[in-house]
Amino acid sequence: AQKVTQAQTEISVVEKEDVTLDCVYETRDTTYYLFWYKQPPSGELVFLIRRNSFDEQNEISGRYSWNFQKSTSSFNFTITASQVVDSAVYFCALSAHSGNTPLVFGKGTRLSVIA
Amino acid sequence: GAGVSQSPSNKVTEKGKDVELRCDPISGHTALYWYRQSLGQGLEFLIYFQGNSAPDKSGLPSDRFSAERTGGSVSTLTIQRTQQEDSAVYLCASSLQRNGNQPQHFGDGTRLSIL
């Protein structure tokens, strides 16, 4: 069975602080995909990143960076110099590698960035 | 617009009534998914359609839930004899059919409230 755990239910930071959102997953598959989605107060889920389990390189996109460690089954997400617009619920998700299959989501982490 | 379109945005109905929720995926996306987001349960997979294949209904919580996808495009999720526990936001997503699990793009959801 697949499972995603986001242990941090809510995080509150002051603007310009760095913040890391944790994601730990469980799967019996040897290959899989990991995803992060953002859900701002308006409600729509916005795709942020997809990571293939073959590729353990970290990725940086502007103020966002992702640290994938297969050895610890973790796929953590860091926001550098946080801004108020980063306030949202962030979901980590897992899926099978082949074909288009449903996502297994974590419970989400609510991030509040205070000005 | 070019995104996933869901209607209605909000639906309030009395317990025991049937409801239909509509999803219009992104043009050209052959995979279509329904998820449910409720407090305490996070995001749960309900059903998914991939091209002309039989849908994966493994996430449907009861036989009161059904979905169809006509012409490989628009999908309708039907809930019969609604119960209060059906109150949730119902999200639809679509994705391209390519090698590997392509990112799913979500609609704004339908907020269903059962009185």
Side-chain angles (χ1 to χ4, degrees):
Chain A
Q2 296 180 325
K3 183 180 179 182
V4 176
T5 301
Q6 294 180 255
Q8 303 150 308
T9 306
E10 294 191 32
I11 300 176
S12 184
V13 299
V14 176
E15 202 171 21
K16 298 184 183 177
E17 287 185 352
D18 298 347
V19 58
T20 295
L21 310 181
D22 297 334
C23 173
V24 175
Y25 61 92
E26 297 175 28
T27 180
R28 293 179 181 173
D29 295 338
T30 54
T31 57
Y32 46 87
Y33 280 103
L34 293 161
F35 301 78
W36 276 94
Y37 281 83
K38 174 182 179 179
Q39 188 175 42
S42 53
E44 79 277 18
L45 273 162
V46 178
F47 165 74
L48 296 178
I49 188 171
R50 179 186 72 161
R51 170 62 66 197
N52 186 328
S53 59
F54 289 139
D55 182 3
E56 291 194 62
Q57 284 192 340
N58 291 332
E59 182 158 342
I60 297 175
S61 176
R63 296 184 298 105
Y64 294 171
S65 62
W66 291 270
N67 183 351
F68 176 35
Q69 293 197 348
K70 207 167 182 178
S71 59
T72 57
S73 298
S74 66
F75 186 44
N76 296 337
F77 173 30
T78 298
I79 302 174
T80 303
S82 59
Q83 301 176 1
V84 173
V85 294
D86 297 327
S87 297
V89 181
Y90 290 87
F91 291 94
C92 180
L94 169 71
S95 76
H97 189 268
S98 59
N100 286 316
T101 55
L103 298 172
V104 174
F105 285 89
K107 298 285 190 185
T109 297
R110 181 178 298 278
L111 173 65
S112 298
V113 180
I114 303 165
Chain B
V4 175
S5 177
Q6 290 188 247
S7 61
S9 301
N10 288 282
K11 177 73 175 178
V12 180
T13 193
E14 293 178 348
K15 177 182 171 181
K17 301 284 190 183
D18 297 352
V19 294
E20 285 190 351
L21 312 180
R22 176 189 168 104
C23 172
D24 201 340
I26 293 172
S27 177
H29 282 194
T30 57
L32 186 148
Y33 312 77
W34 283 98
Y35 294 88
R36 178 169 70 175
Q37 185 174 23
S38 52
L39 287 174
Q41 296 299 320
L43 275 151
E44 304 171 279
F45 160 69
L46 297 176
I47 185 170
Y48 117 87
F49 298 86
Q50 173 61 63
N52 295 322
S53 303
D56 177 352
K57 304 179 183 180
S58 60
L60 294 178
S62 79
D63 58 8
R64 296 186 296 105
F65 288 71
S66 63
E68 62 177 23
R69 189 178 185 191
T70 53
S73 181
V74 172
S75 176
T76 302
L77 176 69
T78 300
I79 309 173
Q80 296 178 310
R81 305 181 303 282
T82 51
Q83 302 294 314
Q84 288 188 330
E85 62 262 28
D86 299 334
S87 296
V89 177
Y90 290 81
L91 292 163
C92 177
S94 69
S95 66
L96 288 166
Q97 181 176 358
R98 286 182 184 163
N99 291 334
N101 209 342
Q102 298 301 311
Q104 296 175 22
H105 298 273
F106 286 79
D108 290 342
T110 294
R111 183 174 298 276
L112 177 64
S113 300
I114 309 300
L115 302 178

